[in-house]
Amino acid sequence: MAIPQRFTLVTLGVADVDNATAFYRRVGWRQSTHSADGITFFSTPGPIIALWTSPELAVDAGLARESDAPRPAPGFRAVALAVNFDTRAEVDAALADWRAAGGEVTKAAVETEWGGYSGYGADPDGNLWEFAHNPFWPLDERGMPHLDGGDVE
């Protein structure tokens, strides 16, 4: 296989790009100048995050036709994005900021069975985000987790 082990863009389906953009700007994200009418991009140390309407995303993915009536995205999409933090206090602060910006805290942060600390929030469109501290995954200078060890053969 020639598919590289990486991903470079995450597109979140939203009901209204302008409203979703305003939410992510309230949590402190800076919008890229590559954004255009109807789509917003945010650069991160990892993949780019894009906001696009759910119906347009469905058409682009071949799951709907433009003539189809737009359907709202399901409440639970079985996907969560995650932001890791250096400390438990940073997790709590991030969840408080998330709520203050208009997001929902779906699960308050708690100690986990694997030795970490984790909570969840949903953006106004229901996209889930995990906010976590994992003491076994040190963060690099970009804030990205570092998995020590090798690959499974």
Side-chain angles (χ1 to χ4, degrees), residues 16-123:
D16 182 295
V17 172
D18 291 336
N19 287 340
T21 300
F23 169 75
Y24 282 98
R25 289 178 64 110
R26 284 193 302 273
V27 299
W29 289 21
R30 294 180 8 188
Q31 180 179 344
S32 168
T33 57
H34 288 277
S35 302
D37 196 28
I39 190 161
T40 298
F41 298 106
F42 295 97
S43 294
T44 77
I48 295 165
I49 302 290
L51 305 175
W52 200 17
T53 67
S54 296
E56 289 177 283
L57 181 56
V59 168
D60 194 53
L63 300 174
R65 295 182 314 261
E66 289 195 38
S67 61
D68 292 342
R71 295 183 313 227
F76 179 64
R77 297 173 180 98
V79 171
L81 302 172
V83 179
N84 284 64
F85 295 90
D86 282 317
T87 68
R88 293 174 179 216
E90 290 175 344
V91 170
D92 290 334
L95 283 168
D97 289 348
W98 189 263
R99 179 177 278 137
E104 177 186 1
V105 174
T106 62
K107 179 184 173 190
V110 297
E111 291 187 28
T112 66
E113 63 185 42
W114 46 266
Y117 187 70
S118 170
Y120 282 84
D123 72 11

Side-chain angles (χ1 to χ4, degrees), residues 1-8:
M1 290 295 238
I3 301 171
Q5 186 172 324
R6 68 172 184 256
F7 63 99
T8 56

Side-chain angles (χ1 to χ4, degrees), residues 18 36 151 153:
D18 291 336
D151 295 333
E153 295 298 323

Side-chain angles (χ1 to χ4, degrees), residues 130-142:
E130 179 185 17
F131 299 86
H133 166 66
N134 185 335
F136 310 107
W137 289 3
L139 302 181
D140 66 18
E141 65 282 349
R142 299 173 303 138

